[in-house]
Amino acid sequence: MKKGRALPPEARKLAAAVKWPLLGFLLCGGQVAGLYAPFALAAVAVAGIRLAGLGAVLGVAGGAFVFMDFQSGLRCAAAAILIFAANTALYDTAVYKKPYFRPACTAVFFLLVQSIYLLGRSASSWLLALCAGAAAAGAAWLRERKLENWGFLCGLALALLPVSAYGFSLGRVALMTLLLAAGRGCSVSQCAALGGCLGLLADLTATEPVVLLALIYGAGGAVSGLLRRLPRGACGLCAAAVSGGLALLFGADVLPVTLWECGAGAGIYALLPKKILPGLYAAGKRAENTPEPAAAPYARPAAALRALYDSFFRGQQPRPPENPAVIFDRAAQEVCSGCVLRTDCWQSRYSDTYSAFNDACPELMKRGRAEAQDFPLHFSSRCVHFPALLQAIDRQTHDYLLRRQFHRQLQEARTSAKEQYACLSELLDQAAVPVSGGDSIGYRVSASLRPRGGEHLCGDQVDHFEVGDEVYLLLCDGMGSGQEAHREAAMTVRLLRQFLEAGIRPGPALKTLNAAMKLRGESCGGFSTVDLAVMQRRSGTVQLYKCGAAPSYLKHGGTVRRFRSDAPPTGLSDSPLPPDRVSVPLQGGDFLVLVSDGIADQSCDEWLLNLLAGFTGTDARELAALILEESRCRKGLGDDCAVMVLHLPLAGENRSTAV
């Protein structure tokens, strides 16, 4: 395969389908004292929910009974099921997103299951279980540092410990290679600690643990950290020599085997492609192979799309299929409602009627239409409107099949869109263009919110921020009021800000957000208006983007201009194009005012036009407070209210940004 060419979609889907079951199965081979499989349980925690987590559980269950004895395998499978159940049950909560959740969940359920069998055992048995629990939690914690692949490699290396070739353990060779590779990105103390941990895990895999490799690999890790700047071959050989030399402390019979295993690991390390190795650690300096500061924003568009995917799609369950019983319910409502035998069929003989419809359903769904022989004779002979009932069932069956086909196509489209967002986030990891900064025009911004009467949360949300030499003002109004509207508006503000800070332009950002919200609205409804103002600090020009938002106003001296748009809110637009934009040049002393419809709309904003025209102050906060107070006198507390004011000071005034 040529460099840079991606796997075909079929291969990616196959790899994703077998990854977690295969990992769970193989990691069960990496055991502690033949009793515990900590890395397999960490894989279940890292896999999370849905098919990935379920696949990991099934893989662990299979591997536990292949690589472990029945009792130990049963406990391992039970702990895996509990970890998966906890992930699924708490997925929608805030605690699930905490970095400590998965490691703590892994350790707690592992120890909970094992403690029942440790009652009355010796202190050494408890200590061994605690070490295994710590290993499981540590491997799960590597996910928070984006290092879970190293943890899985460590578990697979432990699984290879019993496998030997020419008298040498393939697992110990793999552990030495892993230590030298991972140690490139660590300090000397970290390398020594890493080697000690890997060696201790290898020691604990024996039925009778002996601290042997912990010292050998710890010393080898320290040497590799000291000599990391040397060529990889020389660094690996030095580390292997020190590790092999320390084997003399444990007897001459250990020396040749350990020396040759460490040497083989160093040789493999020297042959590994450089692109798969971490960058060299350098205290106070930039590590080798790490991007320059300007490259940091390259990953931010991907993070924005991942946040969009997480907010809209993850955790959503597909709508359950419609029950075919609705065919008979609607047909009976249409025909039987005026029948003289209605009470007899649907009350006295309800079970017979139910059984008749239930028996006819399989043939009806297979054929797509109803026939008289589908129904038992005792039912068809008693029904006085049987021909009309058959026709009604035919119509309802036709409608039911059309609805089922529509929902299937809709679900396929939603699945395709979700996959596109997930894949696009990966592609954009290296696709964003960093923005340059600027500081030529001072400005002041003030914003105020007020919830609807009787509500504690405001359904309108505002935000403002800088990206390079641009200033963004954002006002969103969620559908309705209260908690749901607040959540909808806050999510829209958060996601749109993430897009804009990632370097994505407002037009494409709003277009993408609208498409995502439209897909989300198919299942749970909801939409949000967007009022976005983008000011270039070098020129003072403002671009207005409005999606279902109330009019905006520009005050220049004693004159006021109104800006409006007929574009629908995000989530309701069918247009594949981004919303229209209006260019507004601002000068010193001008005020730009953004409001929600709770303040005023085009049909009742004469008072706001007059207020702005007569305002003679220079304080943006004063103007925002005045607008909010006047709207309360005019419209009461019948709706959520939000106002944002952008003011460009005149020459000679304080030009620093004041919020």
Side-chain angles (χ1 to χ4, degrees), residues 341-353 382:
L341 298 178
R342 179 184 63 214
T343 303
D344 181 62
C345 292
W346 290 101
Q347 294 183 14
S348 302
R349 302 189 180 186
Y350 173 78
S351 59
D352 293 339
T353 304
R382 188 178 73 251

Side-chain angles (χ1 to χ4, degrees), residues 417-558:
K418 289 190 286 187
E419 291 177 354
Q420 290 173 10
Y421 278 114
C423 293
L424 190 58
S425 69
E426 299 176 4
L427 294 176
L428 281 181
D429 270 329
Q430 301 175 359
V433 179
V435 294
S436 59
D439 187 16
S440 56
I441 295 180
Y443 66 93
R444 298 168 182 166
V445 176
S446 180
S448 294
L449 296 173
R450 184 181 66 224
R452 178 182 177 180
E455 299 288 351
H456 299 290
L457 295 174
C458 184
D460 300 344
Q461 291 294 296
V462 297
D463 197 4
H464 70 276
F465 50 93
E466 295 182 6
V467 179
D469 61 352
E470 293 180 331
V471 180
Y472 290 87
L473 278 70
L474 183 56
L475 188 154
C476 294
D477 183 357
M479 178 183 67
S481 59
Q483 184 175 1
E484 290 298 325
H486 172 79
R487 183 183 299 115
E488 195 78 20
M491 180 180 63
T492 304
V493 168
R494 174 176 55 82
L495 293 175
L496 192 52
R497 175 169 181 166
Q498 244 181 323
F499 275 112
L500 298 172
E501 287 184 333
I504 300 176
R505 301 308 303 161
L510 288 169
K511 178 183 174 182
T512 305
L513 186 65
N514 174 74
M517 293 187 70
K518 188 174 180 182
L519 283 172
R520 179 174 177 265
E522 295 287 348
S523 60
C524 56
F527 61 85
S528 194
T529 69
V530 174
D531 207 348
L532 175 63
V534 186
M535 185 185 77
Q536 298 285 341
R537 295 194 64 186
R538 296 184 182 276
S539 63
T541 302
V542 172
Q543 304 290 336
L544 289 177
Y545 299 83
K546 306 181 78 64
C547 300
S552 300
Y553 305 88
L554 172 63
K555 170 180 169 58
H556 177 69

